[in-house]
Amino acid sequence: MQPIEALLLEPVGCLAEFPSAPFHEIAVRLFGRKGKSILSASRSYWRLLNLIDAAKTPFDVEKKSLAETLEVEAVDAASIYEDVLPALAELKSMGIRIFVASSLSRRAASRFIERNSLGEFLSGVCARDDSGGVKSAPLLNALGGASLAREKTMFLTDTLEGIKTARRVGVHPILMMNDPDEAQRLAMHNPAGGVISLHEIPDFIRLIAAQYERGRSENHKVGHQGSD
């Protein structure tokens, strides 16, 4: 893997503990889903994204307002992980460009960033309103808008859909291992790496850079010996 220059973040499940109920409520009221939510917030969220993606038509004004209101409700009830701010500060000091690339509405994403004082660490924000879609669309928007090299970019996710989305756009999926049993199952889908805490990301990026330089050095030695 080449040295990492950028990190794309989806707040739900990776930066904070969100409630699942508002995402399930959107699915019920806008897509006719039945029953109570028994899924984690991340899985409820990504299931909702699949419904939005499959619909292929933008929300009308009324539906857009309802979805945004419930997403903001989820944001206001979310608890940011305690390691997020120090980890982002360290990553920024390393020169890593950090983007929120989220399928949340712009209103909800902005609320999350403002509420948790994340703006100073970010190089950009791409939400579904800006990107013309969900799942892959915000990642592609961030990559294209900031001219990021895909092979030098990571996407942090805690779901199988997130891993698939990262691979679809050509960036490295890094598994956020929030639940041990779920993480063990997801590890079988070969993410590029995994972390238990966001605080591990800076050292992980340093390790990748060191391994890359070691490989270059060894290749240089082999090439030099061959020329002799």
Side-chain angles (χ1 to χ4, degrees):
M1 191 186 301
Q2 293 193 36
I4 298 302
E5 297 178 350
L7 177 64
L8 308 181
L9 298 168
E10 169 60 73
V12 181
C14 293
L15 297 183
E17 185 70 36
F18 279 73
S20 62
F23 301 124
H24 180 67
E25 184 70 11
I26 297 171
V28 169
R29 295 176 66 176
L30 298 189
F31 297 98
R33 301 291 292 188
K34 304 294 184 182
K36 295 183 178 180
S37 174
I38 58 172
L39 300 176
S40 68
S42 290
R43 292 179 69 185
S44 290
Y45 175 66
W46 281 89
R47 179 171 287 187
L48 172 62
L49 299 187
N50 285 337
L51 293 172
I52 295 173
D53 194 43
K56 301 298 182 186
T57 54
F59 291 143
D60 60 27
V61 174
E62 183 178 353
K63 289 181 177 180
K64 182 174 184 289
S65 177
L66 174 63
E68 288 182 357
T69 298
L70 286 166
E71 285 179 346
V72 169
E73 179 183 314
V75 166
D76 287 346
S79 299
I80 191 168
Y81 298 137
E82 62 182 17
D83 58 356
V84 169
L85 292 178
L88 295 185
E90 185 174 0
L91 287 165
K92 184 178 179 181
S93 73
M94 294 165 58
I96 303 299
R97 301 175 71 189
I98 306 165
F99 296 80
V100 166
S102 176
S103 293
L104 289 169
S105 64
R106 163 60 75 162
R107 181 179 159 201
S110 297
R111 173 81 167 183
F112 180 81
I113 291 164
E114 180 182 354
R115 187 171 181 266
N116 294 291
S117 303
L118 303 182
E120 65 180 292
F121 306 113
L122 302 178
S123 296
V125 180
C126 296
R128 71 167 178 264
D129 310 69
D130 317 308
S131 308
V134 297
K135 297 171 65 174
S136 299
L139 277 68
L140 291 170
N141 190 13
L143 290 165
S147 300
L148 303 178
R150 300 184 188 208
E151 68 276 10
K152 296 181 179 181
T153 301
M154 288 178 169
F155 176 58
L156 189 63
T157 182
D158 67 337
T159 66
L160 177 57
E161 283 294 332
I163 291 173
K164 290 179 178 178
T165 297
R167 294 213 183 281
R168 196 173 299 126
V169 303
V171 301
H172 302 291
I174 304 301
L175 179 61
M176 185 73 168
M177 299 184 288
N178 291 323
D179 178 86
D181 293 334
E182 181 73 359
Q184 188 173 12
R185 183 181 70 84
L186 293 177
M188 298 172 63
H189 294 275
N190 299 316
V195 295
I196 296 174
S197 160
L198 199 73
H199 200 63
E200 297 176 0
I201 292 284
D203 281 342
F204 184 53
I205 290 175
R206 291 187 186 99
L207 176 62
I208 291 168
Q211 289 176 336
Y212 180 79
E213 287 303 319
R214 190 180 305 119
R216 285 187 62 191
S217 177
E218 290 173 356
N219 288 337
H220 179 74
K221 281 183 182 178
V222 170
H224 189 69
Q225 289 170 355
S227 65
D228 291 345

